[in-house]
Amino acid sequence: MGRVGKTTLAQVVYNDDMVKEYFDLKVWVCVTQEFDVSGMRRTIIEAIPLTCDASDLNHQQIKLKEFLSNKRFLIVLDDVWNENYIVWEILRRPFEYGAQGSKIIVTTRSEIVASTMLTVPIYHLKLLSDDDCWLLFAEHAFEGIELDTFAKLRDTGRNIVKKCSGLPLTAKALRGLLRSKRDESEWEKVLKSDIWDFPDARKLSI
């Protein structure tokens, strides 16, 4: 499911101070739907950085294997869509030479991708409760004001949050939109917008 916070959680882990100290190398790769092994490997090589022949797949493989050998690394592959097992087998071969404790984190909406990459149990993010979603929304939407002084906005905000269906990124997008607005009609406009009638409304950056 999109907009549930997979990338955000991975970013928190990736930027944690203890994680920075533990790994010799960290690389973050944003994966596109037009997945290409050579392009992916080249992105990783450039992020290291490592010099090699960009047109020679075998040379890429060898140089990456040599560089990662005995290094403890963390690689994040964010928003993976490709479900081809053979493709992933080719991509991850150089990573098998890393030091013990090396990790690859994959974020994906696909159960097939998660199963293909599986070495540890899949971590499924849960939707937020209405109360937690409200706290996330209200933290910035009402920043610097007393909720009791804007009772109508508070009530409308609660109803907007319910339409977010527990998706944190939708709540964050809405709080940014409404943060500087104190006119009740602006909040009502969002609450009654036709956008909620679309099947993928919760995934949209409103």
Side-chain angles (χ1 to χ4, degrees):
M1 178 181 291
R3 304 194 66 79
V4 76
K6 298 181 294 296
T7 297
T8 301
L9 178 59
Q11 287 172 337
V12 170
V13 173
Y14 188 83
N15 293 315
D16 183 82
D17 288 337
M18 292 181 63
V19 170
K20 291 178 182 178
E21 293 177 3
Y22 182 79
F23 293 101
D24 302 315
L25 171 70
K26 297 195 308 162
V27 179
W28 184 287
V29 181
C30 296
V31 184
T32 63
Q33 292 191 43
E34 294 75 29
F35 180 86
D36 171 73
V37 174
S38 178
M40 177 76 67
R41 193 183 294 135
R42 187 164 55 250
T43 299
I44 295 172
I45 288 171
E46 290 172 353
I48 290 175
L50 179 64
T51 302
C52 67
D53 186 349
S55 63
D56 189 331
L57 291 177
N58 187 56
H59 189 242
Q60 286 182 358
Q61 192 97 336
I62 293 171
K63 295 295 289 185
L64 188 56
K65 180 182 74 174
E66 290 175 350
F67 184 85
L68 295 177
S69 181
N70 299 319
K71 287 186 176 67
R72 189 159 54 194
F73 60 79
L74 169 65
I75 296 178
V76 177
L77 304 178
D78 184 39
D79 202 18
V80 175
W81 292 78
N82 190 286
E83 299 177 347
N84 189 318
Y85 178 80
I86 295 176
V87 168
W88 285 113
E89 279 296 298
I90 295 172
L91 178 65
R92 72 184 190 182
R93 282 172 192 164
F95 305 128
E96 296 173 356
Y97 295 87
Q100 185 174 4
S102 296
K103 304 293 181 183
I104 298 176
I105 296 176
V106 176
T107 70
T108 181
R109 305 180 190 189
S110 168
E111 288 282 347
I112 296 176
V113 169
S115 299
T116 297
M117 302 294 292
L118 184 63
T119 55
V120 297
I122 300 170
Y123 184 78
H124 293 277
L125 285 182
K126 298 179 180 179
L127 298 174
L128 297 179
S129 67
D130 282 348
D131 286 341
D132 286 339
C133 202
W134 166 250
L135 291 175
L136 180 64
F137 173 83
E139 178 185 8
H140 288 286
F142 292 100
E143 187 175 16
I145 66 172
E146 293 292 335
L147 286 179
D148 290 340
T149 62
F150 288 88
K152 177 61 176 178
L153 292 187
R154 179 193 59 205
D155 294 341
T156 304
R158 282 280 190 181
N159 289 326
I160 290 173
V161 164
K162 288 179 181 179
K163 287 180 173 284
C164 294
S165 301
L167 292 173
L169 297 188
T170 301
K172 289 176 70 174
L174 287 168
R175 77 182 187 184
L177 175 68
L178 295 171
R179 181 178 180 181
S180 61
K181 294 178 171 52
R182 296 294 175 257
D183 188 333
E184 295 176 7
S185 65
E186 294 288 344
W187 289 56
E188 287 288 341
K189 187 185 302 181
V190 172
L191 178 62
K192 297 176 180 178
S193 171
D194 293 339
I195 194 68
W196 303 108
D197 297 330
F198 292 99
D200 293 332
R202 295 176 302 167
K203 301 177 184 178
L204 299 177
S205 296
I206 301 173

